[in-house]
Coordinates of all heavy atoms in Angstrom, one line a residue:
L29 N -14.3 -5.8 21.1 CA -13.5 -6.2 20.0 C -13.2 -5.0 19.1 O -14.0 -4.0 19.1 CB -14.2 -7.3 19.1 CG -14.4 -8.6 19.9 CD1 -15.1 -9.6 19.0 CD2 -13.1 -9.2 20.4
Y30 N -12.2 -5.1 18.2 CA -11.9 -4.1 17.3 C -13.1 -3.9 16.3 O -13.5 -4.9 15.6 CB -10.6 -4.5 16.6 CG -10.0 -3.5 15.7 CD1 -9.3 -2.4 16.3 CD2 -10.0 -3.5 14.4 CE1 -8.6 -1.5 15.5 CE2 -9.4 -2.6 13.6 CZ -8.7 -1.6 14.2 OH -8.0 -0.7 13.4
G31 N -13.7 -2.8 16.2 CA -14.9 -2.6 15.5 C -14.6 -1.9 14.2 O -15.5 -1.2 13.7
H32 N -13.5 -2.1 13.6 CA -13.2 -1.4 12.3 C -12.6 -2.5 11.4 O -11.6 -3.1 11.7 CB -12.2 -0.3 12.6 CG -11.8 0.5 11.4 ND1 -12.7 1.4 10.8 CD2 -10.7 0.6 10.6 CE1 -12.1 2.0 9.8 NE2 -10.9 1.4 9.7
T33 N -13.2 -2.6 10.2 CA -12.8 -3.6 9.3 C -12.1 -3.1 8.0 O -11.7 -3.8 7.2 CB -14.0 -4.6 8.9 OG1 -15.0 -3.8 8.3 CG2 -14.6 -5.3 10.0
D34 N -12.1 -1.7 7.9 CA -11.5 -1.1 6.8 C -10.0 -0.9 7.0 O -9.5 0.2 7.3 CB -12.2 0.3 6.5 CG -11.7 0.9 5.2 OD1 -11.3 0.2 4.3 OD2 -11.9 2.1 5.1
L35 N -9.3 -2.0 6.9 CA -7.9 -2.0 7.1 C -7.0 -1.6 5.9 O -7.5 -1.9 4.8 CB -7.4 -3.4 7.7 CG -8.1 -3.8 9.0 CD1 -7.7 -5.2 9.3 CD2 -7.8 -2.9 10.1
A36 N -5.9 -1.2 6.1 CA -4.9 -0.9 5.0 C -4.7 -2.2 4.2 O -4.7 -3.3 4.8 CB -3.7 -0.3 5.5
P37 N -4.4 -2.1 2.9 CA -4.2 -3.3 2.1 C -3.0 -4.1 2.6 O -2.9 -5.3 2.3 CB -4.0 -2.9 0.7 CG -4.0 -1.4 0.7 CD -4.4 -0.9 2.1
D38 N -2.0 -3.5 3.3 CA -0.8 -4.2 3.6 C -0.9 -4.7 5.1 O 0.1 -5.2 5.6 CB 0.5 -3.4 3.4 CG 0.4 -2.1 4.2 OD1 -0.7 -1.7 4.7 OD2 1.4 -1.4 4.2
V39 N -2.0 -4.6 5.7 CA -2.2 -5.2 7.0 C -2.4 -6.7 7.0 O -3.1 -7.2 6.1 CB -3.4 -4.5 7.7 CG1 -3.9 -5.3 8.9 CG2 -3.2 -3.1 8.1
E40 N -1.7 -7.4 7.8 CA -1.8 -8.8 7.9 C -2.5 -9.1 9.3 O -2.0 -8.9 10.4 CB -0.5 -9.5 8.0 CG -0.5 -11.0 8.0 CD 0.8 -11.7 8.0 OE1 1.8 -11.0 7.7 OE2 0.9 -12.9 8.3
V41 N -3.8 -9.6 9.1 CA -4.5 -10.0 10.3 C -4.0 -11.3 10.9 O -3.9 -12.3 10.2 CB -6.0 -10.1 10.0 CG1 -6.8 -10.6 11.2 CG2 -6.6 -8.8 9.5
L42 N -3.6 -11.3 12.2 CA -3.0 -12.4 12.8 C -4.1 -13.3 13.5 O -4.0 -14.5 13.7 CB -2.0 -12.0 13.8 CG -0.8 -11.2 13.2 CD1 0.1 -10.8 14.3 CD2 -0.1 -12.1 12.2
M43 N -5.2 -12.5 14.0 CA -6.2 -13.3 14.8 C -7.5 -12.5 14.7 O -7.5 -11.3 14.7 CB -5.8 -13.3 16.3 CG -6.7 -14.1 17.2 SD -6.2 -14.1 18.9 CE -4.6 -15.0 18.7
E44 N -8.6 -13.3 14.5 CA -9.9 -12.7 14.5 C -10.8 -13.3 15.6 O -10.5 -14.4 16.1 CB -10.6 -12.9 13.2 CG -10.0 -12.1 12.0 CD -10.8 -12.4 10.8 OE1 -11.3 -13.5 10.5 OE2 -10.9 -11.5 9.9
G45 N -11.8 -12.7 16.0 CA -12.7 -13.2 17.0 C -14.0 -12.5 17.0 O -14.1 -11.3 16.6
A46 N -15.0 -13.1 17.6 CA -16.3 -12.4 17.7 C -17.2 -13.2 18.7 O -17.0 -14.4 18.9 CB -17.0 -12.4 16.4
P47 N -18.1 -12.5 19.4 CA -19.0 -13.2 20.2 C -19.9 -14.2 19.3 O -20.0 -13.9 18.1 CB -19.9 -12.1 20.8 CG -19.1 -10.9 20.7 CD -18.3 -11.1 19.5
A48 N -20.5 -15.1 19.8 CA -21.4 -16.0 19.1 C -22.4 -15.3 18.2 O -23.1 -14.4 18.7 CB -22.1 -17.0 20.0
G49 N -22.4 -15.7 17.0 CA -23.4 -15.1 16.1 C -23.1 -13.7 15.5 O -23.8 -13.2 14.7
K50 N -21.9 -13.2 15.8 CA -21.4 -11.9 15.3 C -20.4 -12.1 14.2 O -19.7 -13.2 14.2 CB -20.9 -11.0 16.4 CG -21.9 -10.8 17.5 CD -22.8 -9.7 17.0 CE -23.8 -9.4 18.2 NZ -24.7 -8.3 17.9
T51 N -20.1 -11.1 13.4 CA -19.1 -11.2 12.4 C -17.7 -11.0 13.0 O -17.5 -10.1 13.8 CB -19.3 -10.0 11.4 OG1 -20.6 -10.1 10.8 CG2 -18.3 -10.0 10.3
P52 N -16.8 -11.9 12.7 CA -15.4 -11.8 13.3 C -14.8 -10.5 12.9 O -15.0 -10.0 11.8 CB -14.7 -13.0 12.6 CG -15.7 -13.9 12.2 CD -16.9 -13.1 11.8
M53 N -14.1 -9.9 13.9 CA -13.3 -8.7 13.7 C -11.9 -9.0 14.0 O -11.5 -9.8 14.8 CB -13.8 -7.6 14.7 CG -15.2 -7.2 14.5 SD -15.3 -6.2 13.0 CE -17.1 -5.8 13.0
P54 N -10.9 -8.1 13.5 CA -9.5 -8.3 13.9 C -9.3 -8.1 15.3 O -9.8 -7.1 15.9 CB -8.8 -7.3 13.0 CG -9.7 -6.9 11.9 CD -11.2 -7.2 12.5
Q55 N -8.5 -9.0 16.0 CA -8.2 -8.9 17.4 C -6.7 -8.6 17.5 O -6.2 -8.1 18.5 CB -8.5 -10.2 18.2 CG -10.0 -10.3 18.3 CD -10.3 -11.4 19.3 OE1 -9.5 -11.6 20.3 NE2 -11.5 -12.0 19.2
M56 N -5.9 -9.0 16.4 CA -4.5 -8.7 16.4 C -4.1 -8.6 15.0 O -4.4 -9.4 14.1 CB -3.8 -9.8 17.1 CG -2.3 -9.6 17.3 SD -1.6 -10.9 18.3 CE -0.2 -10.1 19.0
W57 N -3.4 -7.5 14.6 CA -2.8 -7.4 13.3 C -1.5 -6.7 13.3 O -1.1 -6.1 14.3 CB -3.8 -6.6 12.4 CG -4.3 -5.3 12.7 CD1 -5.5 -5.0 13.2 CD2 -3.6 -4.1 12.6 NE1 -5.6 -3.6 13.4 CE2 -4.5 -3.0 13.1 CE3 -2.3 -3.6 12.2 CZ2 -4.1 -1.7 13.1 CZ3 -2.0 -2.3 12.2 CH2 -2.8 -1.3 12.6
M58 N -0.7 -6.8 12.2 CA 0.6 -6.2 12.0 C 0.7 -5.6 10.7 O 0.0 -6.0 9.7 CB 1.7 -7.2 12.3 CG 1.8 -8.3 11.4 SD 3.1 -9.5 11.9 CE 3.4 -10.3 10.3
R59 N 1.6 -4.7 10.6 CA 1.8 -4.0 9.3 C 3.3 -3.4 9.2 O 3.7 -2.9 10.3 CB 0.8 -2.8 9.2 CG 1.0 -2.0 8.0 CD 0.0 -0.9 7.9 NE 0.1 -0.1 6.7 CZ -0.3 1.1 6.6 NH1 -0.8 1.8 7.6 NH2 -0.2 1.7 5.4
T60 N 3.9 -3.6 8.1 CA 5.2 -2.9 7.9 C 4.9 -1.7 6.9 O 4.3 -1.9 5.9 CB 6.2 -3.9 7.3 OG1 6.4 -4.9 8.1 CG2 7.5 -3.2 7.0
V61 N 5.1 -0.5 7.4 CA 4.8 0.7 6.6 C 6.0 1.1 5.7 O 6.9 1.8 6.2 CB 4.3 1.8 7.5 CG1 3.9 3.0 6.7 CG2 3.3 1.4 8.5
K62 N 6.0 0.6 4.5 CA 7.1 0.8 3.6 C 7.4 2.2 3.3 O 8.5 2.7 3.2 CB 6.9 0.0 2.3 CG 6.9 -1.5 2.5 CD 6.6 -2.2 1.3 CE 6.6 -3.7 1.6 NZ 5.4 -4.4 1.1
E63 N 6.3 3.0 3.3 CA 6.4 4.5 3.0 C 7.1 5.2 4.1 O 7.5 6.4 3.9 CB 5.0 5.1 2.7 CG 4.2 4.5 1.6 CD 3.5 3.2 2.1 OE1 3.3 3.0 3.3 OE2 3.0 2.5 1.2
Q64 N 7.3 4.6 5.2 CA 7.9 5.2 6.3 C 9.2 4.5 6.8 O 9.5 4.3 7.9 CB 6.9 5.4 7.5 CG 5.8 6.3 7.2 CD 4.9 6.5 8.4 OE1 5.2 6.1 9.5 NE2 3.8 7.2 8.2
G65 N 9.9 4.0 5.8 CA 11.2 3.4 6.0 C 11.1 2.0 6.7 O 12.0 1.6 7.4
G66 N 10.0 1.3 6.5 CA 9.8 0.0 7.1 C 9.4 -0.1 8.5 O 9.6 -1.0 9.2
R67 N 8.8 1.0 9.0 CA 8.4 1.1 10.4 C 7.3 0.0 10.6 O 6.5 -0.2 9.7 CB 7.8 2.4 10.8 CG 8.9 3.5 10.9 CD 8.3 4.8 11.3 NE 9.3 5.8 11.4 CZ 9.1 7.0 11.8 NH1 7.9 7.4 12.0 NH2 10.1 7.9 11.8
R68 N 7.2 -0.5 11.8 CA 6.3 -1.6 12.1 C 5.2 -1.1 13.0 O 5.4 -0.4 13.9 CB 7.0 -2.8 12.7 CG 8.1 -3.4 11.7 CD 8.9 -4.4 12.4 NE 9.8 -5.1 11.4 CZ 10.6 -6.0 11.7 NH1 10.6 -6.5 13.0 NH2 11.3 -6.6 10.8
A69 N 4.0 -1.6 12.7 CA 2.9 -1.3 13.6 C 2.2 -2.6 14.0 O 2.1 -3.6 13.3 CB 1.8 -0.4 12.9
L70 N 1.7 -2.6 15.2 CA 1.0 -3.8 15.8 C -0.1 -3.3 16.5 O -0.1 -2.3 17.3 CB 2.0 -4.5 16.7 CG 1.4 -5.6 17.6 CD1 1.1 -6.9 16.8 CD2 2.3 -6.0 18.7
Y71 N -1.3 -4.0 16.3 CA -2.5 -3.7 17.1 C -2.9 -5.1 17.8 O -2.9 -6.1 17.2 CB -3.6 -3.3 16.3 CG -4.9 -3.4 17.0 CD1 -5.3 -2.3 17.9 CD2 -5.8 -4.5 16.9 CE1 -6.5 -2.4 18.6 CE2 -7.0 -4.5 17.6 CZ -7.3 -3.5 18.5 OH -8.5 -3.6 19.2
T72 N -3.2 -4.9 19.1 CA -3.8 -6.1 19.8 C -4.9 -5.5 20.7 O -4.7 -4.5 21.3 CB -2.8 -7.0 20.6 OG1 -3.5 -8.0 21.1 CG2 -2.0 -6.1 21.6
R73 N -5.9 -6.3 20.9 CA -7.0 -5.9 21.8 C -6.8 -6.4 23.2 O -7.6 -6.2 24.1 CB -8.4 -6.3 21.2 CG -8.6 -7.8 21.3 CD -9.8 -8.0 22.1 NE -10.0 -9.4 22.5 CZ -10.0 -9.9 23.7 NH1 -9.7 -9.1 24.7 NH2 -10.2 -11.1 24.0
Y74 N -5.8 -7.2 23.4 CA -5.6 -7.9 24.7 C -5.2 -6.9 25.8 O -4.5 -6.0 25.6 CB -4.5 -8.9 24.7 CG -5.0 -10.2 23.9 CD1 -4.6 -10.4 22.6 CD2 -5.9 -11.0 24.4 CE1 -5.0 -11.4 21.9 CE2 -6.4 -12.1 23.7 CZ -5.9 -12.3 22.4 OH -6.4 -13.4 21.8
D75 N -5.8 -7.1 27.0 CA -5.5 -6.2 28.1 C -4.6 -7.0 29.1 O -4.5 -8.2 28.9 CB -6.7 -5.5 28.7 CG -7.6 -6.5 29.5 OD1 -7.2 -7.5 30.0 OD2 -8.8 -6.3 29.5
P76 N -4.0 -6.4 30.1 CA -3.1 -7.1 31.0 C -3.9 -8.3 31.7 O -3.2 -9.3 32.0 CB -2.7 -6.0 32.0 CG -2.8 -4.8 31.2 CD -4.0 -4.9 30.3
N77 N -5.1 -8.1 32.1 CA -5.8 -9.2 32.7 C -5.9 -10.5 31.8 O -5.7 -11.6 32.3 CB -7.3 -8.8 33.1 CG -7.2 -7.8 34.2 OD1 -6.3 -7.8 35.1 ND2 -8.2 -6.8 34.2
D78 N -6.1 -10.2 30.5 CA -6.1 -11.4 29.6 C -4.8 -12.1 29.6 O -4.6 -13.3 29.6 CB -6.4 -10.9 28.1 CG -7.9 -10.4 28.0 OD1 -8.8 -10.9 28.7 OD2 -8.1 -9.6 27.1
L79 N -3.7 -11.2 29.5 CA -2.4 -11.8 29.4 C -1.9 -12.5 30.6 O -1.2 -13.5 30.6 CB -1.4 -10.7 29.1 CG -1.7 -10.0 27.7 CD1 -0.7 -8.9 27.5 CD2 -1.7 -10.9 26.6
M80 N -2.3 -12.1 31.8 CA -2.0 -12.7 33.1 C -2.6 -14.1 33.2 O -2.1 -15.0 33.8 CB -2.4 -11.8 34.2 CG -1.5 -10.5 34.3 SD 0.2 -10.8 34.5 CE 0.4 -11.6 36.0
K81 N -3.7 -14.3 32.5 CA -4.5 -15.6 32.7 C -4.0 -16.6 31.7 O -4.3 -17.8 31.9 CB -6.0 -15.3 32.5 CG -6.6 -14.5 33.5 CD -8.0 -14.1 33.2 CE -8.6 -13.1 34.2 NZ -10.0 -12.7 33.7
D82 N -3.3 -16.3 30.6 CA -3.1 -17.3 29.6 C -1.7 -17.2 29.0 O -1.4 -16.2 28.3 CB -4.1 -17.0 28.5 CG -4.1 -18.0 27.4 OD1 -3.9 -19.2 27.7 OD2 -4.2 -17.6 26.2
E83 N -0.8 -18.1 29.4 CA 0.6 -18.1 29.1 C 0.8 -18.1 27.5 O 1.6 -17.4 27.0 CB 1.3 -19.2 29.7 CG 2.7 -19.5 29.2 CD 3.6 -18.2 29.3 OE1 3.4 -17.4 30.3 OE2 4.5 -18.0 28.5
P84 N 0.1 -19.0 26.7 CA 0.3 -19.0 25.3 C -0.1 -17.7 24.6 O 0.7 -17.2 23.8 CB -0.7 -20.1 24.8 CG -0.8 -21.0 25.9 CD -0.8 -20.1 27.2
T85 N -1.1 -17.0 25.1 CA -1.4 -15.7 24.5 C -0.4 -14.7 24.9 O 0.0 -13.8 24.1 CB -2.8 -15.3 25.0 OG1 -3.8 -16.2 24.6 CG2 -3.2 -13.9 24.4
R86 N 0.0 -14.7 26.2 CA 1.1 -13.8 26.6 C 2.4 -14.0 25.8 O 2.9 -13.0 25.4 CB 1.4 -14.0 28.1 CG 2.4 -13.0 28.7 CD 2.5 -13.1 30.2 NE 2.7 -14.4 30.8 CZ 1.7 -15.1 31.5 NH1 0.6 -14.6 31.8 NH2 2.0 -16.3 32.0
A87 N 2.7 -15.2 25.5 CA 4.0 -15.4 24.7 C 3.7 -15.0 23.3 O 4.7 -14.4 22.7 CB 4.3 -16.9 24.7
M88 N 2.5 -15.1 22.7 CA 2.3 -14.7 21.4 C 2.4 -13.1 21.3 O 3.0 -12.6 20.4 CB 0.9 -15.1 20.9 CG 0.5 -14.5 19.5 SD -1.1 -14.9 19.1 CE -2.0 -14.0 20.3
V89 N 1.8 -12.4 22.3 CA 1.8 -11.0 22.3 C 3.2 -10.5 22.5 O 3.7 -9.5 21.9 CB 0.9 -10.4 23.3 CG1 1.1 -8.9 23.6 CG2 -0.6 -10.7 22.9
A90 N 4.0 -11.2 23.4 CA 5.4 -10.8 23.6 C 6.2 -10.9 22.3 O 7.0 -10.0 22.0 CB 6.0 -11.6 24.7
R91 N 6.0 -12.0 21.5 CA 6.7 -12.1 20.3 C 6.3 -11.0 19.3 O 7.2 -10.5 18.6 CB 6.4 -13.5 19.7 CG 7.2 -14.6 20.3 CD 7.1 -16.0 19.5 NE 5.7 -16.3 19.2 CZ 4.9 -17.1 20.0 NH1 5.4 -17.5 21.2 NH2 3.7 -17.4 19.7
A92 N 5.1 -10.7 19.3 CA 4.6 -9.6 18.3 C 5.1 -8.3 18.7 O 5.6 -7.5 17.8 CB 3.0 -9.6 18.4
I93 N 5.3 -8.0 20.0 CA 5.8 -6.7 20.5 C 7.4 -6.7 20.1 O 7.9 -5.6 19.6 CB 5.6 -6.5 21.9 CG1 4.2 -6.3 22.2 CG2 6.5 -5.4 22.5 CD1 3.8 -6.3 23.7
R94 N 8.0 -7.8 20.3 CA 9.4 -7.8 19.9 C 9.6 -7.6 18.4 O 10.5 -6.9 17.9 CB 10.1 -9.2 20.3 CG 10.1 -9.3 21.8 CD 10.7 -10.6 22.3 NE 12.1 -10.6 22.1 CZ 13.0 -9.7 22.9 NH1 12.4 -9.0 23.8 NH2 14.2 -9.8 22.7
W95 N 8.7 -8.2 17.5 CA 8.7 -8.0 16.1 C 8.6 -6.5 15.8 O 9.3 -5.9 15.0 CB 7.6 -8.8 15.4 CG 7.5 -8.5 14.0 CD1 8.2 -9.0 12.9 CD2 6.6 -7.5 13.5 NE1 7.8 -8.3 11.8 CE2 6.8 -7.4 12.1 CE3 5.6 -6.7 14.0 CZ2 6.1 -6.6 11.2 CZ3 4.9 -5.8 13.2 CH2 5.1 -5.8 11.8
A96 N 7.5 -5.9 16.4 CA 7.2 -4.5 16.2 C 8.4 -3.6 16.5 O 8.6 -2.6 15.9 CB 6.0 -4.1 16.9
A97 N 9.1 -4.0 17.6 CA 10.2 -3.2 18.0 C 11.6 -3.5 17.2 O 12.6 -2.8 17.5 CB 10.5 -3.4 19.5
G98 N 11.5 -4.5 16.3 CA 12.7 -4.8 15.6 C 13.7 -5.6 16.4 O 14.9 -5.6 16.0
R99 N 13.3 -6.2 17.4 CA 14.2 -6.9 18.3 C 14.3 -8.4 17.7 O 13.4 -9.0 17.4 CB 13.6 -7.0 19.7 CG 13.4 -5.7 20.4 CD 14.7 -5.1 21.0 NE 15.3 -5.9 22.0 CZ 15.1 -5.8 23.3 NH1 14.3 -4.9 23.8 NH2 15.8 -6.6 24.1
T100 N 15.6 -8.9 17.7 CA 15.9 -10.2 17.3 C 16.4 -11.1 18.4 O 16.5 -12.3 18.3 CB 16.8 -10.3 16.1 OG1 18.1 -9.6 16.5 CG2 16.3 -9.6 14.9
D101 N 16.8 -10.5 19.6 CA 17.4 -11.3 20.7 C 16.2 -12.0 21.3 O 15.0 -11.7 21.2 CB 18.1 -10.3 21.7 CG 17.2 -9.2 22.2 OD1 16.5 -8.6 21.4 OD2 17.2 -8.9 23.4
Q102 N 16.6 -13.0 22.0 CA 15.6 -13.9 22.7 C 15.2 -13.2 24.1 O 16.1 -12.7 24.7 CB 16.1 -15.2 23.0 CG 16.4 -16.0 21.6 CD 15.1 -16.2 20.9 OE1 14.1 -16.6 21.4 NE2 15.1 -15.9 19.6
P103 N 13.9 -13.4 24.5 CA 13.5 -12.9 25.7 C 14.2 -13.7 26.9 O 14.5 -14.8 26.7 CB 12.0 -13.0 25.8 CG 11.7 -14.0 24.8 CD 12.8 -14.0 23.8
R104 N 14.4 -13.1 28.0 CA 15.0 -13.7 29.2 C 14.0 -14.5 29.9 O 12.9 -14.3 30.0 CB 15.7 -12.7 30.0 CG 16.7 -11.9 29.4 CD 17.3 -10.8 30.2 NE 18.1 -10.0 29.4 CZ 19.0 -9.2 29.8 NH1 19.1 -9.0 31.1 NH2 19.7 -8.5 29.0

């Protein structure tokens, strides 16, 4: 899991997770960097094997990537 909890104040954590008995850590977050003209940043810890196994997670990550890229059209 993401082992860093000192996130920028404008980061929006979308999902947290942790093994049993551990402190939850960000697994997915997004940020709009206003100081850089509204550029978008996205972090996710998911790897391709996770995404191939779980359609809802794959769809969520696909929407997040489209947001980060500034895309408004619908996926095919």
Side-chain angles (χ1 to χ4, degrees):
L29 297 176
Y30 192 73
H32 184 72
T33 57
D34 187 22
L35 302 174
D38 59 349
V39 165
E40 181 178 348
V41 176
L42 302 174
M43 184 181 297
E44 292 182 323
K50 300 286 185 176
T51 302
M53 298 284 181
Q55 291 193 27
M56 187 175 207
W57 57 256
M58 65 184 198
R59 177 181 185 205
T60 301
V61 186
K62 294 177 183 130
E63 302 83 18
Q64 295 184 7
R67 290 184 181 177
R68 296 173 172 183
L70 170 72
Y71 166 81
T72 182
R73 70 118 191 120
Y74 289 104
D75 69 29
N77 291 327
D78 293 330
L79 299 178
M80 292 303 293
K81 295 175 188 174
D82 187 37
E83 171 57 33
T85 301
R86 185 170 50 249
M88 177 188 63
V89 171
R91 286 191 305 274
I93 291 169
R94 296 181 75 68
W95 170 85
R99 302 275 304 264
T100 58
D101 56 320
Q102 295 298 314
R104 298 175 190 194

